[in-house]
Amino acid sequence: MLDMKIIRQETEQVKERLATRGVDPKEVDALLADDVKRRELLVQTEELKARRNTVSDQIGLKKRQKEDASEVIAEMQKVSATIKELDEQVVKLDEQIKERALHFPNLPNNTIPVGPDEDSNREERQWGEIPTFNFAPKAHYEIGEDLGILDFERGAKVSGARFVYYVGQGARLERAVYNFMLDEHQKEGYKEMITPYIVKNEAMYGTGQYPKFMDDAYRVGTNDDMTLIPTAEVPLTNYFREEVIDDAKLPYSVTALSPAFRQEAGSAGRDTRGLIRMHQFNKVEMVKFTKPEDSYQALEDMTFNAETLLQKLGLPYHVITLSTGDMGFSAAKTYDVEVWMPQQNIYREISSVSNTEAFQARRARIQYRDENGKLQFVHTLNGSGLAVGRTVAAILENYQNEDGTVTIPEVLRPYFGADKIVPEDTI
């Protein structure tokens, strides 16, 4: 959520920056009009309450002096009724202002490219050699099906499209990948957590998934009051919801493996085969809580943490800065790390690392006390480290062999227990 003080004091700049994210300046005007009206009502209410207090003293005096106070009492009854009406209007305006504000995305950082979509993204760097093959490389889903380690057909039979069974060596590979990631993150100072996989709606509002992305979520409960998490970012960030963090603990870094559940409501026809866009997938998430002055260095550190995993796995990638039109709702700045996929001959996103500044902390009311003892909102950052299924897909494609086997990256062999995936006996 944006700071109302900034919207009031820097209105034109806020309009310009939000316009780069698709927000009509008239929506800012509407919010400010409600805010002005609310403050006017509060002034009227306070004036009436002050008058009521003064007159109440006069009524008491009249009664003690045996004078008739009925006329003044009748007047004060009308004043009390007006105060009640004004208070109700303020409550309605508070709700309206909150509802408007919840739909505003974060203000983009000044260092990111301005543009309407992914075509405006900026490449920052590349790493690794693009592999060459003396045969036509297959797609990861073909490799997985031929080896008998990925079963999309039975996944669809049981759960529908965009679900899969990992079988035998496929399940071992997935487990090897996420255990490797968790171990590496712990070495970098992240505290491992196992989080709830179902959260209250308030938690989804806190990190910015609600109200904008309700259609993408799997909502559960008798009144749809709980949600299957779309990412561990939600329970990790909300860990300190409505708390004041000891500033000595900052920066505070956490990581978690969790399933992620997404309806992918707007992705009809996109990536209909394979592990790239699933309704359920595993992801290792990184989250940091920092002081404001440290958050952009933390963004660089987290991106490096994600890159390090790919370097150790020997997977080529590049890093891009997302444009204003391609960036996520809560983010002020985002780096996407995209891994090379040989069969498609393109880079595909495997990690997205964002600094949300105080946007999420303001919504979830996560604060710390600065050196002067004053309460301040922390900055929160989140990043995939990495999407596990997409990492499996990248390994299958980049390490495929002409005979149909797949070589296991050296760092994963202690976790996997072999140096190759060979054809699996099918049921």
Side-chain angles (χ1 to χ4, degrees), residues 43-56:
V43 170
Q44 291 178 43
T45 302
E46 291 306 312
E47 289 174 349
L48 287 173
K49 287 178 179 177
R51 172 164 168 68
R52 184 176 62 183
N53 291 339
T54 300
V55 174
S56 293

Side-chain angles (χ1 to χ4, degrees), residues 157-186:
K157 177 182 71 174
V158 173
S159 300
R162 301 184 192 268
F163 288 92
V164 66
Y165 281 93
Y166 287 83
V167 179
Q169 295 170 96
R172 280 168 53 199
L173 178 58
E174 175 103 349
R175 179 157 49 91
V177 167
Y178 62 63
N179 282 334
F180 160 71
M181 292 178 186
L182 289 169
D183 286 349
E184 291 298 311
H185 288 326
Q186 286 187 66

Side-chain angles (χ1 to χ4, degrees), residues 301-355:
D301 294 342
M302 290 177 73
T303 306
F304 178 73
N305 295 151
E307 290 182 67
T308 298
L309 297 177
L310 291 173
Q311 290 177 13
K312 290 187 175 183
L313 290 167
L315 294 171
Y317 67 86
H318 73 167
V319 178
I320 58 176
T321 301
L322 297 192
S323 69
T324 53
D326 196 33
M327 191 167 57
F329 181 81
S330 298
K333 183 174 183 177
T334 298
Y335 291 123
D336 267 11
V337 183
E338 297 186 331
V339 70
W340 181 255
M341 300 297 287
Q343 193 274 336
Q344 295 183 41
N345 201 39
I346 56 172
Y347 291 104
R348 297 300 304 266
E349 178 197 335
I350 197 168
S351 176
S352 190
V353 187
S354 299
N355 185 357

Side-chain angles (χ1 to χ4, degrees), residues 76-215:
M76 284 306 98
Q77 287 173 339
K78 291 180 181 178
V79 169
S80 293
T82 302
I83 290 172
K84 182 181 178 183
E85 183 181 330
L86 291 175
D87 283 342
E88 289 172 353
Q89 290 181 42
V90 169
V91 169
K92 287 181 181 178
L93 276 171
D94 279 338
E95 292 173 354
Q96 189 167 307
I97 289 168
K98 182 179 179 182
E99 181 62 22
R100 288 187 190 279
L102 284 172
H103 285 82
F104 284 176
N106 204 351
L107 295 174
N109 183 272
N110 291 326
T111 63
I112 71 175
V114 175
D117 50 37
E118 61 186 15
D119 291 335
S120 302
N121 294 343
R122 181 178 67 225
E123 184 180 73
E124 303 295 347
R125 54 188 173 274
Q126 294 183 4
W127 184 92
E129 264 187 57
I130 302 299
T132 57
F133 300 90
N134 56 10
F135 59 93
K138 294 179 180 179
H140 67 276
Y141 47 85
E142 295 176 301
I143 299 167
E145 289 171 334
D146 290 346
L147 288 169
I149 64 172
L150 297 176
D151 195 331
F152 293 97
E153 185 176 342
R154 286 188 174 93
K157 177 182 71 174
V158 173
S159 300
R162 301 184 192 268
F163 288 92
V164 66
Y165 281 93
Y166 287 83
V167 179
Q169 295 170 96
R172 280 168 53 199
L173 178 58
E174 175 103 349
R175 179 157 49 91
V177 167
Y178 62 63
N179 282 334
F180 160 71
M181 292 178 186
L182 289 169
D183 286 349
E184 291 298 311
H185 288 326
Q186 286 187 66
K187 292 175 187 176
E188 297 293 338
Y190 292 84
K191 180 173 289 188
E192 183 179 354
M193 290 188 175
I194 296 176
T195 73
Y197 299 156
I198 304 176
V199 295
K200 296 178 181 178
N201 288 344
E202 288 88 343
M204 296 288 283
Y205 278 99
T207 45
Q209 277 79 13
Y210 283 176
K212 186 174 177 63
F213 301 110
M214 278 188 176
D215 289 343

Side-chain angles (χ1 to χ4, degrees), residues 170-418:
R172 280 168 53 199
L173 178 58
E174 175 103 349
R175 179 157 49 91
V177 167
Y178 62 63
N179 282 334
F180 160 71
M181 292 178 186
L182 289 169
D183 286 349
E184 291 298 311
H185 288 326
Q186 286 187 66
K187 292 175 187 176
E188 297 293 338
Y190 292 84
K191 180 173 289 188
E192 183 179 354
M193 290 188 175
I194 296 176
T195 73
Y197 299 156
I198 304 176
V199 295
K200 296 178 181 178
N201 288 344
E202 288 88 343
M204 296 288 283
Y205 278 99
T207 45
Q209 277 79 13
Y210 283 176
K212 186 174 177 63
F213 301 110
M214 278 188 176
D215 289 343
D216 271 329
Y218 283 101
R219 305 179 73 190
V220 297
T222 54
N223 298 305
D224 289 340
D225 53 355
M226 302 286 282
T227 301
L228 289 169
I229 62 171
T231 164
E233 169 199 340
V234 179
L236 287 175
T237 303
N238 279 278
Y239 184 73
F240 288 117
R241 180 182 179 83
E242 299 176 358
E243 291 188 30
V244 177
I245 304 175
D246 181 354
D247 70 324
K249 291 184 177 180
L250 298 175
Y252 192 80
S253 306
V254 289
T255 187
L257 163 73
S258 79
F261 302 93
R262 301 182 185 179
Q263 292 210 46
E264 296 288 355
S267 65
R270 297 172 60 196
D271 299 309
T272 54
R273 298 190 67 186
L275 299 172
I276 300 299
R277 200 176 297 277
M278 306 291 287
H279 289 313
Q280 174 191 320
F281 58 94
N282 287 323
K283 185 153 71 82
V284 174
E285 189 74 9
M286 303 177 288
V287 164
K288 280 183 183 285
F289 303 85
T290 76
K291 296 178 182 179
E293 62 268 25
D294 299 328
S295 66
Y296 276 94
Q297 181 57 54
L299 178 65
E300 300 298 326
D301 294 342
M302 290 177 73
T303 306
F304 178 73
N305 295 151
E307 290 182 67
T308 298
L309 297 177
L310 291 173
Q311 290 177 13
K312 290 187 175 183
L313 290 167
L315 294 171
Y317 67 86
H318 73 167
V319 178
I320 58 176
T321 301
L322 297 192
S323 69
T324 53
D326 196 33
M327 191 167 57
F329 181 81
S330 298
K333 183 174 183 177
T334 298
Y335 291 123
D336 267 11
V337 183
E338 297 186 331
V339 70
W340 181 255
M341 300 297 287
Q343 193 274 336
Q344 295 183 41
N345 201 39
I346 56 172
Y347 291 104
R348 297 300 304 266
E349 178 197 335
I350 197 168
S351 176
S352 190
V353 187
S354 299
N355 185 357
T356 76
E357 297 184 356
F359 187 82
Q360 291 180 330
R362 191 171 285 110
R363 292 167 78 108
R365 297 181 294 283
I366 306 170
Q367 298 172 291
Y368 76 102
R369 292 192 184 277
D370 63 19
E371 62 274 10
N372 299 314
K374 185 178 179 181
L375 284 173
Q376 305 284 358
F377 288 107
V378 299
H379 280 195
T380 63
L381 302 95
N382 62 80
S384 320
L386 309 159
V388 180
R390 293 190 179 197
T391 306
V392 168
I395 290 169
L396 294 179
E397 289 200 18
N398 283 275
Y399 283 94
Q400 62 182 295
N401 301 310
E402 190 170 10
D403 64 0
T405 63
V406 175
T407 302
I408 297 296
E410 191 170 340
V411 292
L412 290 185
R413 292 175 190 175
Y415 297 91
F416 184 75

